[in-house]
Amino acid sequence: MIRRPPRSTQGVSSAASDVYKRQVNIPSVCRFLDVGGGKGTFVSELKKIHPKVDAAVFDLPGSHSENSGHRCIIGSFKEDELPAGYDIISLVRILYDHRDETIRDLLGKTYNALDKGGRLIVSEPMLGADRPTLWGDVYFAMYTLAMSTGKTRSPDQVSGFIKDAGFSNVTIHKSARPFITTVIEAQKT
């Protein structure tokens, strides 16, 4: 059964989107897939900067915008394989909403969908790692508890899942406010 995603996965806050755009180098011409991207908020912002990017959103039925400037691919990352042929696959505000098993499966599907040299970009709220952040760590712990799914993780924990899926060249970008978003990049080699 496909369950409607939490509202947190249906869009990207402007603060999180700004951090992502500052920290991640997206080529002006590439094929870009945003998994769980809802109405395509992030992809729409990306296309404003790089109009030649061939961007698509992969998400559940009913989550897409009818008037989007990108392709909408209907599917569930829990039940379906991810579409292949993309240079970059992005997971924005996805992992913390799901259990460890779901994350392992999703990252494995992501690895399989990418060609050699393809990139994974993860951007989401994460625990404060070295220095916990009271508001962020407590807020997202309570959020995932209330949603009865997922959990907040540190950048090192998320990186561990990424490495276990087979990715290399894992880079954790420094974040002034990890509870808003931390960006992790990796590559399929």
Side-chain angles (χ1 to χ4, degrees), residues 3-189:
R3 223 181 69 189
R4 187 84 195 113
R7 288 189 103 25
S8 66
T9 64
Q10 294 180 25
V12 179
S13 75
S14 62
S17 181
D18 289 344
V19 169
Y20 187 113
K21 289 184 289 188
R22 280 193 313 271
Q23 292 185 340
V24 177
N25 179 23
I26 305 292
S28 59
V29 178
C30 69
R31 297 201 66 221
F32 187 98
L33 179 67
D34 189 20
V35 175
K39 294 187 184 328
T41 304
F42 178 76
V43 167
S44 295
E45 290 297 312
L46 175 65
K47 288 200 59 80
K48 286 179 188 175
I49 299 166
H50 300 300
K52 292 184 179 179
V53 167
D54 179 10
V57 171
F58 180 82
D59 211 337
L60 297 172
S63 60
H64 298 289
S65 172
E66 295 293 321
N67 301 320
S68 65
H70 56 271
R71 277 179 294 119
C72 301
I73 302 168
I74 303 297
S76 166
F77 63 75
K78 288 184 177 181
E79 298 177 10
D80 303 313
E81 293 301 316
L82 299 182
Y86 290 90
D87 304 305
I88 299 171
I89 296 180
S90 178
L91 304 174
V92 179
R93 299 178 74 87
I94 299 296
L95 303 183
Y96 78 97
D97 268 332
H98 298 283
R99 292 182 170 83
D100 292 352
E101 301 78 38
T102 303
I103 290 177
R104 283 186 189 96
D105 188 48
L106 173 57
L107 290 170
K109 289 178 179 184
T110 303
Y111 185 86
N112 291 337
L114 287 166
D115 290 333
K116 186 176 179 181
R119 290 168 53 202
L120 164 68
I121 302 171
V122 173
S123 176
E124 67 177 63
M126 295 188 201
L127 295 174
D130 298 337
R131 208 174 76 214
T133 58
L134 177 64
W135 293 111
D137 291 1
V138 171
Y139 172 80
F140 282 105
M142 294 303 291
Y143 170 85
T144 55
L145 179 65
M147 295 298 292
S148 72
T149 181
K151 65 181 178 183
T152 50
R153 298 170 181 88
S154 71
D156 287 338
Q157 289 171 311
V158 174
S159 292
F161 283 116
I162 292 169
K163 289 174 186 172
D164 289 348
F167 288 96
S168 58
N169 302 327
V170 178
T171 303
I172 301 170
H173 292 276
K174 289 286 185 194
S175 177
R177 298 180 296 178
F179 59 91
I180 291 179
T181 197
T182 297
V183 177
I184 300 176
E185 289 187 79
Q187 188 173 32
K188 180 175 180 176
T189 54

